[in-house]
PDB file of all heavy atoms in Angstrom:
ATOM      1  N   PHE A 276      35.847  24.915  22.630  1.00 93.00           N
ATOM      2  CA  PHE A 276      36.238  24.298  23.899  1.00 93.00           C
ATOM      3  C   PHE A 276      37.442  23.373  23.704  1.00 93.00           C
ATOM      4  O   PHE A 276      38.328  23.330  24.555  1.00 93.00           O
ATOM      5  CB  PHE A 276      35.064  23.522  24.505  1.00 93.00           C
ATOM      6  CG  PHE A 276      34.143  24.375  25.324  1.00 93.00           C
ATOM      7  CD1 PHE A 276      33.126  25.095  24.727  1.00 93.00           C
ATOM      8  CD2 PHE A 276      34.278  24.461  26.697  1.00 93.00           C
ATOM      9  CE1 PHE A 276      32.274  25.880  25.469  1.00 93.00           C
ATOM     10  CE2 PHE A 276      33.430  25.242  27.455  1.00 93.00           C
ATOM     11  CZ  PHE A 276      32.424  25.955  26.842  1.00 93.00           C
ATOM     12  N   GLU A 277      37.461  22.619  22.606  1.00 94.00           N
ATOM     13  CA  GLU A 277      38.581  21.713  22.339  1.00 94.00           C
ATOM     14  C   GLU A 277      39.894  22.478  22.207  1.00 94.00           C
ATOM     15  O   GLU A 277      40.943  21.991  22.619  1.00 94.00           O
ATOM     16  CB  GLU A 277      38.340  20.904  21.067  1.00 94.00           C
ATOM     17  CG  GLU A 277      37.364  19.781  21.218  1.00 94.00           C
ATOM     18  CD  GLU A 277      37.083  19.059  19.910  1.00 94.00           C
ATOM     19  OE1 GLU A 277      37.570  19.507  18.845  1.00 94.00           O
ATOM     20  OE2 GLU A 277      36.371  18.042  19.944  1.00 94.00           O
ATOM     21  N   ASP A 278      39.836  23.674  21.620  1.00 93.00           N
ATOM     22  CA  ASP A 278      41.050  24.474  21.464  1.00 93.00           C
ATOM     23  C   ASP A 278      41.595  24.954  22.799  1.00 93.00           C
ATOM     24  O   ASP A 278      42.769  25.311  22.899  1.00 93.00           O
ATOM     25  CB  ASP A 278      40.782  25.678  20.555  1.00 93.00           C
ATOM     26  CG  ASP A 278      40.567  25.273  19.103  1.00 93.00           C
ATOM     27  OD1 ASP A 278      40.947  24.132  18.748  1.00 93.00           O
ATOM     28  OD2 ASP A 278      40.009  26.080  18.338  1.00 93.00           O
ATOM     29  N   SER A 279      40.758  24.990  23.825  1.00 93.00           N
ATOM     30  CA  SER A 279      41.180  25.458  25.149  1.00 93.00           C
ATOM     31  C   SER A 279      41.697  24.343  26.041  1.00 93.00           C
ATOM     32  O   SER A 279      42.186  24.603  27.125  1.00 93.00           O
ATOM     33  CB  SER A 279      40.012  26.154  25.854  1.00 93.00           C
ATOM     34  OG  SER A 279      39.605  27.282  25.119  1.00 93.00           O
ATOM     35  N   VAL A 280      41.576  23.096  25.598  1.00 95.00           N
ATOM     36  CA  VAL A 280      42.012  21.944  26.399  1.00 95.00           C
ATOM     37  C   VAL A 280      43.372  21.474  25.897  1.00 95.00           C
ATOM     38  O   VAL A 280      43.574  21.301  24.702  1.00 95.00           O
ATOM     39  CB  VAL A 280      40.979  20.795  26.305  1.00 95.00           C
ATOM     40  CG1 VAL A 280      41.489  19.564  27.027  1.00 95.00           C
ATOM     41  CG2 VAL A 280      39.653  21.232  26.869  1.00 95.00           C
ATOM     42  N   ARG A 281      44.295  21.259  26.825  1.00 93.00           N
ATOM     43  CA  ARG A 281      45.629  20.750  26.485  1.00 93.00           C
ATOM     44  C   ARG A 281      45.972  19.589  27.411  1.00 93.00           C
ATOM     45  O   ARG A 281      45.734  19.667  28.620  1.00 93.00           O
ATOM     46  CB  ARG A 281      46.706  21.817  26.678  1.00 93.00           C
ATOM     47  CG  ARG A 281      46.581  23.010  25.794  1.00 93.00           C
ATOM     48  CD  ARG A 281      47.267  22.773  24.458  1.00 93.00           C
ATOM     49  NE  ARG A 281      47.175  23.952  23.631  1.00 93.00           N
ATOM     50  CZ  ARG A 281      46.254  24.147  22.721  1.00 93.00           C
ATOM     51  NH1 ARG A 281      45.342  23.256  22.513  1.00 93.00           N
ATOM     52  NH2 ARG A 281      46.229  25.241  21.997  1.00 93.00           N
ATOM     53  N   ALA A 282      46.540  18.560  26.852  1.00 93.00           N
ATOM     54  CA  ALA A 282      47.052  17.433  27.633  1.00 93.00           C
ATOM     55  C   ALA A 282      48.521  17.273  27.281  1.00 93.00           C
ATOM     56  O   ALA A 282      48.870  17.174  26.106  1.00 93.00           O
ATOM     57  CB  ALA A 282      46.269  16.160  27.317  1.00 93.00           C
ATOM     58  N   GLN A 283      49.380  17.264  28.304  1.00 92.00           N
ATOM     59  CA  GLN A 283      50.821  17.193  28.079  1.00 92.00           C
ATOM     60  C   GLN A 283      51.438  16.105  28.953  1.00 92.00           C
ATOM     61  O   GLN A 283      50.983  15.865  30.072  1.00 92.00           O
ATOM     62  CB  GLN A 283      51.480  18.530  28.424  1.00 92.00           C
ATOM     63  CG  GLN A 283      50.980  19.682  27.609  1.00 92.00           C
ATOM     64  CD  GLN A 283      51.458  21.011  28.156  1.00 92.00           C
ATOM     65  OE1 GLN A 283      51.674  21.162  29.353  1.00 92.00           O
ATOM     66  NE2 GLN A 283      51.609  21.982  27.272  1.00 92.00           N
ATOM     67  N   ASP A 284      52.495  15.500  28.426  1.00 89.00           N
ATOM     68  CA  ASP A 284      53.243  14.504  29.186  1.00 89.00           C
ATOM     69  C   ASP A 284      54.102  15.248  30.210  1.00 89.00           C
ATOM     70  O   ASP A 284      54.845  16.164  29.870  1.00 89.00           O
ATOM     71  CB  ASP A 284      54.119  13.701  28.227  1.00 89.00           C
ATOM     72  CG  ASP A 284      54.731  12.486  28.886  1.00 89.00           C
ATOM     73  OD1 ASP A 284      54.442  12.232  30.066  1.00 89.00           O
ATOM     74  OD2 ASP A 284      55.487  11.779  28.201  1.00 89.00           O
ATOM     75  N   GLN A 285      54.007  14.833  31.457  1.00 86.00           N
ATOM     76  CA  GLN A 285      54.709  15.547  32.518  1.00 86.00           C
ATOM     77  C   GLN A 285      56.038  14.891  32.881  1.00 86.00           C
ATOM     78  O   GLN A 285      56.942  15.573  33.325  1.00 86.00           O
ATOM     79  CB  GLN A 285      53.800  15.612  33.755  1.00 86.00           C
ATOM     80  CG  GLN A 285      54.170  16.660  34.741  1.00 86.00           C
ATOM     81  CD  GLN A 285      54.099  18.058  34.163  1.00 86.00           C
ATOM     82  OE1 GLN A 285      53.366  18.337  33.244  1.00 86.00           O
ATOM     83  NE2 GLN A 285      54.888  18.951  34.707  1.00 86.00           N
ATOM     84  N   ASN A 286      56.153  13.588  32.711  1.00 84.00           N
ATOM     85  CA  ASN A 286      57.395  12.905  33.118  1.00 84.00           C
ATOM     86  C   ASN A 286      57.871  11.931  32.047  1.00 84.00           C
ATOM     87  O   ASN A 286      58.072  10.763  32.309  1.00 84.00           O
ATOM     88  CB  ASN A 286      57.190  12.178  34.458  1.00 84.00           C
ATOM     89  CG  ASN A 286      56.228  11.018  34.353  1.00 84.00           C
ATOM     90  OD1 ASN A 286      55.370  11.000  33.482  1.00 84.00           O
ATOM     91  ND2 ASN A 286      56.371  10.049  35.223  1.00 84.00           N
ATOM     92  N   GLY A 287      58.062  12.413  30.843  1.00 76.00           N
ATOM     93  CA  GLY A 287      58.462  11.545  29.731  1.00 76.00           C
ATOM     94  C   GLY A 287      59.932  11.205  29.761  1.00 76.00           C
ATOM     95  O   GLY A 287      60.735  11.872  29.131  1.00 76.00           O
ATOM     96  N   GLU A 288      60.298  10.169  30.489  1.00 77.00           N
ATOM     97  CA  GLU A 288      61.689   9.755  30.539  1.00 77.00           C
ATOM     98  C   GLU A 288      61.794   8.254  30.311  1.00 77.00           C
ATOM     99  O   GLU A 288      60.802   7.529  30.434  1.00 77.00           O
ATOM    100  CB  GLU A 288      62.328  10.133  31.876  1.00 77.00           C
ATOM    101  CG  GLU A 288      61.722   9.420  33.058  1.00 77.00           C
ATOM    102  CD  GLU A 288      61.222  10.370  34.124  1.00 77.00           C
ATOM    103  OE1 GLU A 288      61.178  11.572  33.909  1.00 77.00           O
ATOM    104  OE2 GLU A 288      60.846   9.875  35.175  1.00 77.00           O
ATOM    105  N   LYS A 289      62.973   7.798  30.023  1.00 74.00           N
ATOM    106  CA  LYS A 289      63.194   6.383  29.722  1.00 74.00           C
ATOM    107  C   LYS A 289      63.013   5.550  30.993  1.00 74.00           C
ATOM    108  O   LYS A 289      63.492   5.901  32.056  1.00 74.00           O
ATOM    109  CB  LYS A 289      64.604   6.197  29.179  1.00 74.00           C
ATOM    110  CG  LYS A 289      64.920   4.781  28.819  1.00 74.00           C
ATOM    111  CD  LYS A 289      66.311   4.650  28.273  1.00 74.00           C
ATOM    112  CE  LYS A 289      66.595   3.191  27.972  1.00 74.00           C
ATOM    113  NZ  LYS A 289      67.920   2.984  27.470  1.00 74.00           N
ATOM    114  N   GLY A 290      62.279   4.450  30.835  1.00 73.00           N
ATOM    115  CA  GLY A 290      62.135   3.502  31.932  1.00 73.00           C
ATOM    116  C   GLY A 290      61.228   3.944  33.062  1.00 73.00           C
ATOM    117  O   GLY A 290      61.324   3.421  34.166  1.00 73.00           O
ATOM    118  N   ARG A 291      60.348   4.863  32.833  1.00 78.00           N
ATOM    119  CA  ARG A 291      59.456   5.307  33.916  1.00 78.00           C
ATOM    120  C   ARG A 291      58.456   4.214  34.266  1.00 78.00           C
ATOM    121  O   ARG A 291      58.114   3.375  33.443  1.00 78.00           O
ATOM    122  CB  ARG A 291      58.744   6.600  33.525  1.00 78.00           C
ATOM    123  CG  ARG A 291      57.867   6.485  32.299  1.00 78.00           C
ATOM    124  CD  ARG A 291      57.266   7.807  31.963  1.00 78.00           C
ATOM    125  NE  ARG A 291      56.647   7.792  30.640  1.00 78.00           N
ATOM    126  CZ  ARG A 291      55.931   8.778  30.171  1.00 78.00           C
ATOM    127  NH1 ARG A 291      55.739   9.850  30.898  1.00 78.00           N
ATOM    128  NH2 ARG A 291      55.411   8.708  28.972  1.00 78.00           N
ATOM    129  N   GLN A 292      57.956   4.252  35.483  1.00 81.00           N
ATOM    130  CA  GLN A 292      57.043   3.229  35.975  1.00 81.00           C
ATOM    131  C   GLN A 292      55.581   3.657  35.892  1.00 81.00           C
ATOM    132  O   GLN A 292      54.691   2.849  36.122  1.00 81.00           O
ATOM    133  CB  GLN A 292      57.386   2.879  37.429  1.00 81.00           C
ATOM    134  CG  GLN A 292      58.768   2.279  37.585  1.00 81.00           C
ATOM    135  CD  GLN A 292      58.911   0.971  36.823  1.00 81.00           C
ATOM    136  OE1 GLN A 292      58.064   0.097  36.925  1.00 81.00           O
ATOM    137  NE2 GLN A 292      59.971   0.840  36.044  1.00 81.00           N
ATOM    138  N   TYR A 293      55.323   4.922  35.615  1.00 84.00           N
ATOM    139  CA  TYR A 293      53.964   5.437  35.471  1.00 84.00           C
ATOM    140  C   TYR A 293      54.019   6.691  34.611  1.00 84.00           C
ATOM    141  O   TYR A 293      55.086   7.282  34.424  1.00 84.00           O
ATOM    142  CB  TYR A 293      53.327   5.754  36.834  1.00 84.00           C
ATOM    143  CG  TYR A 293      54.094   6.768  37.637  1.00 84.00           C
ATOM    144  CD1 TYR A 293      53.795   8.118  37.549  1.00 84.00           C
ATOM    145  CD2 TYR A 293      55.135   6.380  38.469  1.00 84.00           C
ATOM    146  CE1 TYR A 293      54.510   9.059  38.263  1.00 84.00           C
ATOM    147  CE2 TYR A 293      55.853   7.306  39.186  1.00 84.00           C
ATOM    148  CZ  TYR A 293      55.531   8.643  39.095  1.00 84.00           C
ATOM    149  OH  TYR A 293      56.246   9.571  39.804  1.00 84.00           O
ATOM    150  N   ALA A 294      52.869   7.097  34.100  1.00 86.00           N
ATOM    151  CA  ALA A 294      52.811   8.304  33.261  1.00 86.00           C
ATOM    152  C   ALA A 294      52.012   9.374  33.993  1.00 86.00           C
ATOM    153  O   ALA A 294      50.954   9.097  34.558  1.00 86.00           O
ATOM    154  CB  ALA A 294      52.147   7.985  31.935  1.00 86.00           C
ATOM    155  N   LEU A 295      52.524  10.582  34.001  1.00 91.00           N
ATOM    156  CA  LEU A 295      51.807  11.739  34.535  1.00 91.00           C
ATOM    157  C   LEU A 295      51.366  12.593  33.358  1.00 91.00           C
ATOM    158  O   LEU A 295      52.186  13.016  32.553  1.00 91.00           O
ATOM    159  CB  LEU A 295      52.706  12.580  35.441  1.00 91.00           C
ATOM    160  CG  LEU A 295      52.810  12.159  36.892  1.00 91.00           C
ATOM    161  CD1 LEU A 295      53.766  13.089  37.631  1.00 91.00           C
ATOM    162  CD2 LEU A 295      51.484  12.137  37.576  1.00 91.00           C
ATOM    163  N   ILE A 296      50.074  12.840  33.291  1.00 92.00           N
ATOM    164  CA  ILE A 296      49.516  13.635  32.198  1.00 92.00           C
ATOM    165  C   ILE A 296      48.899  14.889  32.804  1.00 92.00           C
ATOM    166  O   ILE A 296      48.005  14.812  33.639  1.00 92.00           O
ATOM    167  CB  ILE A 296      48.440  12.836  31.429  1.00 92.00           C
ATOM    168  CG1 ILE A 296      49.044  11.532  30.903  1.00 92.00           C
ATOM    169  CG2 ILE A 296      47.862  13.663  30.296  1.00 92.00           C
ATOM    170  CD1 ILE A 296      48.021  10.524  30.451  1.00 92.00           C
ATOM    171  N   ARG A 297      49.414  16.056  32.411  1.00 94.00           N
ATOM    172  CA  ARG A 297      48.877  17.335  32.898  1.00 94.00           C
ATOM    173  C   ARG A 297      47.815  17.812  31.908  1.00 94.00           C
ATOM    174  O   ARG A 297      48.093  18.024  30.739  1.00 94.00           O
ATOM    175  CB  ARG A 297      49.965  18.391  33.014  1.00 94.00           C
ATOM    176  CG  ARG A 297      49.448  19.743  33.506  1.00 94.00           C
ATOM    177  CD  ARG A 297      50.555  20.764  33.657  1.00 94.00           C
ATOM    178  NE  ARG A 297      51.551  20.345  34.607  1.00 94.00           N
ATOM    179  CZ  ARG A 297      51.459  20.534  35.924  1.00 94.00           C
ATOM    180  NH1 ARG A 297      50.404  21.085  36.433  1.00 94.00           N
ATOM    181  NH2 ARG A 297      52.429  20.136  36.723  1.00 94.00           N
ATOM    182  N   VAL A 298      46.601  17.998  32.423  1.00 94.00           N
ATOM    183  CA  VAL A 298      45.489  18.461  31.607  1.00 94.00           C
ATOM    184  C   VAL A 298      45.154  19.882  32.060  1.00 94.00           C
ATOM    185  O   VAL A 298      44.932  20.116  33.252  1.00 94.00           O
ATOM    186  CB  VAL A 298      44.247  17.550  31.762  1.00 94.00           C
ATOM    187  CG1 VAL A 298      43.138  18.012  30.843  1.00 94.00           C
ATOM    188  CG2 VAL A 298      44.606  16.113  31.478  1.00 94.00           C
ATOM    189  N   THR A 299      45.157  20.828  31.113  1.00 94.00           N
ATOM    190  CA  THR A 299      44.835  22.217  31.439  1.00 94.00           C
ATOM    191  C   THR A 299      43.678  22.692  30.568  1.00 94.00           C
ATOM    192  O   THR A 299      43.501  22.240  29.441  1.00 94.00           O
ATOM    193  CB  THR A 299      46.041  23.159  31.211  1.00 94.00           C
ATOM    194  OG1 THR A 299      46.473  23.043  29.860  1.00 94.00           O
ATOM    195  CG2 THR A 299      47.192  22.816  32.133  1.00 94.00           C
ATOM    196  N   TYR A 300      42.911  23.611  31.133  1.00 94.00           N
ATOM    197  CA  TYR A 300      41.785  24.207  30.418  1.00 94.00           C
ATOM    198  C   TYR A 300      41.787  25.694  30.704  1.00 94.00           C
ATOM    199  O   TYR A 300      41.823  26.118  31.854  1.00 94.00           O
ATOM    200  CB  TYR A 300      40.467  23.572  30.871  1.00 94.00           C
ATOM    201  CG  TYR A 300      39.254  24.271  30.328  1.00 94.00           C
ATOM    202  CD1 TYR A 300      38.962  24.250  28.970  1.00 94.00           C
ATOM    203  CD2 TYR A 300      38.416  24.989  31.161  1.00 94.00           C
ATOM    204  CE1 TYR A 300      37.864  24.908  28.469  1.00 94.00           C
ATOM    205  CE2 TYR A 300      37.307  25.651  30.673  1.00 94.00           C
ATOM    206  CZ  TYR A 300      37.039  25.610  29.323  1.00 94.00           C
ATOM    207  OH  TYR A 300      35.950  26.271  28.828  1.00 94.00           O
ATOM    208  N   LYS A 301      41.772  26.517  29.635  1.00 94.00           N
ATOM    209  CA  LYS A 301      41.745  27.977  29.759  1.00 94.00           C
ATOM    210  C   LYS A 301      40.356  28.475  29.392  1.00 94.00           C
ATOM    211  O   LYS A 301      39.803  28.073  28.377  1.00 94.00           O
ATOM    212  CB  LYS A 301      42.750  28.635  28.820  1.00 94.00           C
ATOM    213  CG  LYS A 301      44.163  28.504  29.240  1.00 94.00           C
ATOM    214  CD  LYS A 301      45.137  29.345  28.446  1.00 94.00           C
ATOM    215  CE  LYS A 301      44.749  29.684  27.056  1.00 94.00           C
ATOM    216  NZ  LYS A 301      45.764  30.385  26.300  1.00 94.00           N
ATOM    217  N   ASP A 302      39.819  29.375  30.223  1.00 91.00           N
ATOM    218  CA  ASP A 302      38.496  29.918  29.953  1.00 91.00           C
ATOM    219  C   ASP A 302      38.441  31.345  30.500  1.00 91.00           C
ATOM    220  O   ASP A 302      39.115  31.676  31.468  1.00 91.00           O
ATOM    221  CB  ASP A 302      37.431  29.058  30.630  1.00 91.00           C
ATOM    222  CG  ASP A 302      36.050  29.283  30.048  1.00 91.00           C
ATOM    223  OD1 ASP A 302      35.841  30.313  29.378  1.00 91.00           O
ATOM    224  OD2 ASP A 302      35.178  28.428  30.266  1.00 91.00           O
ATOM    225  N   ARG A 303      37.613  32.146  29.888  1.00 89.00           N
ATOM    226  CA  ARG A 303      37.433  33.516  30.375  1.00 89.00           C
ATOM    227  C   ARG A 303      36.470  33.565  31.550  1.00 89.00           C
ATOM    228  O   ARG A 303      36.417  34.548  32.267  1.00 89.00           O
ATOM    229  CB  ARG A 303      36.913  34.409  29.254  1.00 89.00           C
ATOM    230  CG  ARG A 303      37.959  34.651  28.200  1.00 89.00           C
ATOM    231  CD  ARG A 303      37.458  35.606  27.170  1.00 89.00           C
ATOM    232  NE  ARG A 303      38.431  35.736  26.100  1.00 89.00           N
ATOM    233  CZ  ARG A 303      38.172  36.273  24.950  1.00 89.00           C
ATOM    234  NH1 ARG A 303      36.984  36.742  24.697  1.00 89.00           N
ATOM    235  NH2 ARG A 303      39.108  36.343  24.034  1.00 89.00           N
ATOM    236  N   ASP A 304      35.683  32.523  31.726  1.00 87.00           N
ATOM    237  CA  ASP A 304      34.735  32.444  32.827  1.00 87.00           C
ATOM    238  C   ASP A 304      35.362  31.612  33.936  1.00 87.00           C
ATOM    239  O   ASP A 304      35.491  30.395  33.832  1.00 87.00           O
ATOM    240  CB  ASP A 304      33.432  31.799  32.343  1.00 87.00           C
ATOM    241  CG  ASP A 304      32.365  31.753  33.408  1.00 87.00           C
ATOM    242  OD1 ASP A 304      32.584  32.320  34.497  1.00 87.00           O
ATOM    243  OD2 ASP A 304      31.304  31.156  33.158  1.00 87.00           O
TER     244      ASP A 304
END
């Protein structure tokens, strides 16, 4: 299950005021 979960930075730029983290999960079901 851990291998199917990904968390990525969505708006990694200098001086940003908040962080957006995209979390995805892939499953056959």
